[in-house]
Amino acid sequence: MGAKTALLAFTDGDLRPALRGATRSDPSEAEALVRRVLPGCDVALVGDSSLFQTYPPEDIAHVTVLPGAEFVCDQRLVLDRPSELPEHLLRAGAGRRIVMHGMHSVVDWLCFAVWEDGKLVRSLSLSPGSGIIENIGEPYEFERPFWNGRHPVEPVPGWEDREPYPLPFHPLELGEVALSALFGFVIEGDPGPDDIEAEDVPVHVFRVGDPSGQELAAREAAHERAKRDLGPFTMYEMGPDGTMREVSWEEFEKAHPPNAPESHS
């Protein structure tokens, strides 16, 4: 599994009706939404994409405004602790449902959260490295089979001597189920009977930069801290025969370039 998401939606109800048959939204309305959720930033429309591209590069936002729903894909809008959603985003979704979904395949991290009329009703954030970061509210029905042990993580061929997976299920597997249940589409999971094709939903692509330079400085500082804290470590990835093999950092970066450019045509 290699899916990543950074999704925030404001909606009047179930998202599927808003997404089904969606057409290109008004660029000015999309730009106004970007300025509400990322205030103070420089905003420039640079092209078009689809909702299937749920994890844009840094400083890029994918946006659409539809009847009954607004969507923004941006790495800055998903949080390790969704309960700390900034006040201006709660105001942006006042009187509506707010839905967040974040997923990162490199570290097996997942978060999703739902607010109803400004009140947080469910938040889950977890990864094998950090454990359960946040678990607020009653689990949804789609979660229960995972918590009840029906989706254990089986040992990877070639890694049978490793410690058991530290969570009762794989976050990315639950993440795809949550994406279907909360947003009405999947990236790599099995679509539900009523799910839509995210590739059919057009979005606007905006370059959204912090004119103060503080965001870039903070990212670079965090990157340096992470390298210092991690120290030397071994990278692994699955080989063509289905077993895990050791790779150098140079090989890994070549195969998985950070923020790889995508087409905005």
Side-chain angles (χ1 to χ4, degrees):
M1 303 176 73
K4 300 176 185 179
T5 64
L7 276 161
L8 191 69
F10 307 104
T11 173
D12 296 335
D14 184 7
L15 288 168
R16 287 177 182 83
L19 293 174
R20 192 170 288 114
T23 58
R24 188 174 185 270
S25 66
D26 184 326
S28 63
E29 291 184 354
E31 180 177 337
L33 174 60
V34 176
R35 293 187 183 280
R36 288 204 308 274
V37 300
L38 294 166
C41 290
D42 292 330
V43 179
L45 180 64
V46 294
D48 296 286
S49 185
S50 79
L51 191 58
F52 189 75
Q53 303 295 332
T54 52
Y55 194 82
E58 291 175 344
D59 298 325
I60 294 292
H62 291 178
V63 185
T64 186
V65 177
L66 304 171
E70 300 172 330
F71 288 82
V72 184
C73 305
D74 190 292
Q75 295 183 41
R76 290 164 283 199
L77 300 179
V78 294
L79 309 172
D80 286 343
R81 296 184 180 275
S83 63
E84 298 177 355
L85 190 72
E87 186 64 32
H88 76 275
L89 293 176
L90 292 174
R91 289 196 301 271
R96 310 177 81 186
R97 176 181 296 164
I98 304 174
V99 191
M100 177 190 295
H101 190 285
M103 194 161 61
H104 202 298
S105 58
V106 173
V107 291
D108 290 356
W109 170 72
L110 165 70
C111 85
F112 61 83
V114 177
W115 293 257
E116 299 284 0
D117 197 13
K119 179 182 178 181
L120 181 65
V121 296
R122 179 65 176 135
S123 174
L124 179 66
S125 176
L126 75 170
S127 73
S130 300
I132 297 176
I133 303 167
E134 189 163 273
N135 186 4
I136 297 172
E138 285 294 316
Y140 287 113
E141 284 301 315
F142 67 78
E143 300 178 56
R144 296 194 184 279
F146 291 86
W147 294 112
N148 292 341
R150 291 170 56 185
H151 296 272
V153 179
E154 302 296 337
V156 175
W159 269 17
E160 287 83 356
D161 59 339
R162 295 274 170 165
E163 291 291 324
Y165 197 77
L167 294 170
F169 52 83
H170 200 292
L172 302 188
E173 186 178 354
L174 174 57
E176 291 286 349
V177 174
L179 192 59
S180 173
L182 299 175
F183 283 85
F185 66 91
V186 295
I187 303 299
E188 292 188 347
D190 296 325
D194 298 323
D195 280 1
I196 58 93
E197 291 288 342
E199 290 179 332
D200 294 339
V201 180
V203 299
H204 303 286
V205 179
F206 291 91
R207 187 172 302 282
V208 186
D210 174 16
S212 71
Q214 292 179 353
E215 278 190 1
L216 177 60
R219 284 199 299 262
E220 291 176 344
H223 183 64
E224 290 302 315
R225 285 197 303 272
K227 287 199 300 184
R228 183 181 66 248
D229 294 344
L230 286 171
F233 61 95
T234 305
M235 301 290 297
Y236 295 89
E237 70 177 12
M238 189 170 291
D241 61 352
T243 62
M244 302 303 291
R245 66 183 185 93
E246 185 175 339
V247 297
S248 68
W249 179 248
E250 289 76 16
E251 288 178 297
F252 185 85
E253 281 199 317
K254 185 177 180 180
H256 307 278
N259 295 329
E262 62 177 280
S263 171
H264 299 317
S265 60

